[in-house]
Amino acid sequence: MRKITFIVLSVLFFLIGCGEIDWNNEDVKELLPDIVPSLPSPDNIKIEDGVLTWDSVAGAAGYIVYYGDERKVLDASVTSFTLPSLKGGGSMNVALKAIGNGKDLKDSSVSFYLTYSTDMPFIEESGNTEAPDPLLPIPTESQLKWQKLEQYAFIHFGPNTFRNAEWGEGKPTEGQAFQPTSDVETITTQWADELHARGMKALILTVKHHDGFCLWDTEATDYSVSKEGMYNGNITGSLAPKLQAHGMKLGLYLSPWDRNNWAYLHPEYVDIFTKQTEEITTLFGDIFEVWFDGANETQGWYGGGDYNSIKSQVQDNPYVWFQTLKNNNPTAMFTRTSGELTPGGPTVNKDTYLAEMKAAAIEIIRKNQPDAVVFGDNSGRGIRWVGNEQGWAGRTCWSMGFEEYGSEDGQTWFPAECDMKTRSGWFHSTNSNSTRPYKELVEFWYRSVGRNATLLLNFSPGRDGLIPADSLEEARKMWKQITEDFKTDLLTKENVASVEASNIRGGQETFGPYNLIDDDFDTYWTVNNEVTSGSVTFTFKNPITFDRIVLQEYIALGQRVKSFTVEAQDESGAWKSVELPNMPYNISGDNSNPDETTTIGYKRILRTAETTAKAFRLTINESREPVPFLISELGLYKSYEGSLDE
Ligand code: FUL
Ligand code: CA
């Protein structure tokens, strides 16, 4: 028997021999380690949102919470404790023990210590307590909803599909007009199901392209799916509920230019066009976007030879009314009528005519579909063409102004949409039968969605009415690559040890930097009114490796940022600008230069060199006006290099 045990036992026998044991006697406690059992320490201890919780310990008479320099004794019935607010910064150690009954159960040992740290860096509470004032122009709610769709599909389908045409070229004959070999249900089911599976949040269909053929059952003209001798399938009507079932939105392309209509550029055609607009905005449920294409010509004629000769004749005077053509053959649909232009007839300014006609149609859209945005409408409620059909927005891209780059001085909110093709033409053609590889589609996505624009990706169903399998396969891979690239945000509360911000509006948590990583667009980090630049630094518990930075500006109050900087602290502790390598390849009109750190807007994604960081810093250098900036979200990701197989 070891000596120490011998002594303990002797003392015990002595004490027992003297009568009742005083279990609380310090000498007794001291001497009892092996004999009176201890309670187990509380298990499953967690701190969430400032509340400490644990699993109750059977037999405990209560608990003691140790936090900072303080302690609190709690009843046995309690298994949670609200820690004091750490507003104002700092962190504290927190631990817990279960209290024994003072008889045959000793107190547990003290649990391991947890670090409880604040969501807010230390900052004086001073300055503005209300959200910053908006900086005009700002988006409408519909424009904001539209932008959040990010990526949606385009479908070009119509008579062009059946004769390798893009603009209704060539003389159509009745039989060639429109003859999909699949039934309408098969077609629209494929479109909705397959595009939904590829991450498309909406679909814009050419319900009428420049050839004037209508993909719905229209009362306005005789040239549609439902007329005698035609396909007899209301494609648009069948598509709408299929998209809705997937939570996808429907958009409609209605060409103002109508090459098949004698009345084009005549007053009568305004009635036809507005009637068509009325129909498409009332027949198919909610519409998110209406595309009034910008292409137009000075003649409403159909047919190669005539078209070119008329075009050359009107070149010098493009505002001639085609009265003669109208009189010669008012309703011919598939007939290539020769007509002569009568110079000197009544004239109309084509641009004014089209602008007025579109304005009348926009009125109808506002009435029937108040939530829809109109492509090309720069009244402050529409959206703009990005200025190219190559799938890229500018590295600097304002939601005001025009084309790729927009302008910080633009007076109306006019965000950019990038329309891009998966094949060489908008329409299917048996002559150019290849689809773009997914890597290019991924590139378009980064250069549109990643640059404060949306991506409108076109698919060209074939003569069977179905989107070709090769396009679907590349789009599948594209979407897999993108979803995998952004699967895991590395800038999360779990990974962050501490955060510092140079300024926080009013010193309030509501405007603090944790809003940058809460996955909520509507919460943001912002600063006091007089502050126009500033930085936020996140220090990680363990270094992280990333090659994608995602930034979102709270554009609901206006687009502001015009210059920012991103830096990382390497393992040696040195701070360096995050390296921005060249883009994977040139795109017509864009190039492979590195990304720029200028505008942010709704979403800005930088593809960076692979960077391992102990800490990450975002600095906002300048806004377009001397006003505070508002940043909704900041994310860091590592792109995916694995297999894209199904
Ligand atoms: C252009 C049209 O002329 C093309 O045919 C196509 O519809 C494209 C999306 O817009 O302006
Ligand atoms: Ca947020």
Side-chain angles (χ1 to χ4, degrees), residues 154 156 160 166-167 206 209-210 253 257 291 293-295 389 419 426-427:
F154 216 175
H156 275 67
N160 289 330
E166 282 287 307
W167 270 15
T206 53
H209 202 256
H210 310 328
Y253 174 119
W257 185 21
W291 239 75
D293 187 69
E389 290 179 348
D419 54 326
W426 291 102
F427 286 91

Side-chain angles (χ1 to χ4, degrees), residues 514-524 631-633:
Y514 271 93
N515 288 336
L516 291 167
I517 59 172
D518 66 354
D519 262 335
D520 181 353
F521 177 75
D522 293 319
T523 61
Y524 47 82
I631 312 297
S632 288
E633 284 293 300

Side-chain angles (χ1 to χ4, degrees), residues 51 155 283 317 399 415 475 581 586 601:
V51 179
I155 281 196
L283 290 173
N317 181 6
S399 293
N586 284 320

Side-chain angles (χ1 to χ4, degrees), residues 320-333:
V320 177
W321 290 65
F322 292 93
Q323 204 58 43
T324 320
L325 298 182
K326 178 184 170 187
N327 293 339
N328 273 0
N329 196 338
T331 51
M333 200 92 63

Side-chain angles (χ1 to χ4, degrees), residues 486 548-552 603-605 633-637:
F486 297 101
R548 299 284 183 271
I549 304 174
V550 181
L551 297 133
Q552 290 193 277
K603 188 174 266 189
R604 186 61 199 272
I605 304 175
E633 284 293 300
L634 176 63
L636 298 172
Y637 300 82

Side-chain angles (χ1 to χ4, degrees), residues 310-321:
I310 292 166
K311 194 174 171 189
S312 68
Q313 286 179 63
V314 297
Q315 230 136 246
D316 300 332
N317 181 6
Y319 310 130
V320 177
W321 290 65

